[in-house]
Amino acid sequence: EIIALEINNDAMFYLKKSLELNKIPETKYNVILGDNRSTTPNNVADLVIMGYFGIDKKQLQNAIKSLNSNRESCLLMIHDIGNKNKESQVMIQFHQILDNDNIWELKSIKKHKIKSIGPGLEHWVFDCTLIKKKNDFS
């Protein structure tokens, strides 16, 4: 099942149209109009794609909370634009949030350069594999 959050009415219209054109049955998706800072469902996702730029702390926290805690591992894909010679500020914040998370820890990150978008700027995607933390009672 696909759960998509979209804040823009026009983008939501085209997202639904794309799903329809690709013959995805309506029973296989739920498109929610709203801001992912306040409308993200908890404990439902095996994969979260954060396919936009300017991700903030609340969005990262909600993405992590949306991961299905019944799974042993989940994937979080984070898009970012940054200076090619500096560490991603979004990823610094992501690590800080994960350090304080009670359920998930980082197993691996694969960084993919999508393209250069200006002098010294690049579009990246970080594929983050998260695994459940081992508790002291295991």
Side-chain angles (χ1 to χ4, degrees), residues 49-64:
I49 302 172
M50 302 182 80
Y52 46 90
F53 307 121
I55 296 168
D56 64 34
K57 182 178 180 178
K58 182 68 173 168
Q59 291 168 315
L60 288 168
Q61 289 169 327
N62 283 350
I64 293 167

Side-chain angles (χ1 to χ4, degrees), residues 51-90:
Y52 46 90
F53 307 121
I55 296 168
D56 64 34
K57 182 178 180 178
K58 182 68 173 168
Q59 291 168 315
L60 288 168
Q61 289 169 327
N62 283 350
I64 293 167
K65 287 179 188 175
S66 75
L67 297 174
N68 184 345
S69 64
N70 294 320
R71 302 271 306 200
E72 289 301 313
S73 68
C74 291
L75 183 63
L76 182 58
M77 299 173 70
I78 301 171
H79 287 249
D80 191 23
I81 291 178
N83 184 306
K84 68 180 177 181
N85 298 317
K86 293 184 181 175
E87 189 173 357
S88 163
Q89 294 302 304
V90 170

Side-chain angles (χ1 to χ4, degrees), residues 90-108:
V90 170
M91 293 308 293
I92 290 170
Q93 204 166 44
F94 175 67
H95 285 287
Q96 291 168 347
I97 293 166
L98 267 185
D99 286 344
N100 295 307
D101 191 78
N102 294 325
I103 299 172
W104 300 103
E105 65 184 338
L106 188 62
K107 179 181 179 187
S108 65

Side-chain angles (χ1 to χ4, degrees), residues 3-15 30-36 39 51-52:
I3 300 172
L5 291 112
E6 182 53 61
I7 196 168
N8 179 294
N9 272 319
D10 292 333
M12 185 172 171
F13 170 81
Y14 288 108
L15 173 59
N30 180 13
V31 179
I32 301 168
L33 180 64
D35 188 329
N36 62 12
T39 58
Y52 46 90

Side-chain angles (χ1 to χ4, degrees), residues 1-3 16-17 19-31:
E1 178 185 6
I2 299 167
I3 300 172
K16 286 182 176 179
K17 187 157 190 73
L19 290 164
E20 179 184 310
L21 289 171
N22 284 289
K23 297 180 177 31
I24 308 296
E26 286 186 34
T27 57
K28 295 290 184 185
Y29 65 85
N30 180 13
V31 179

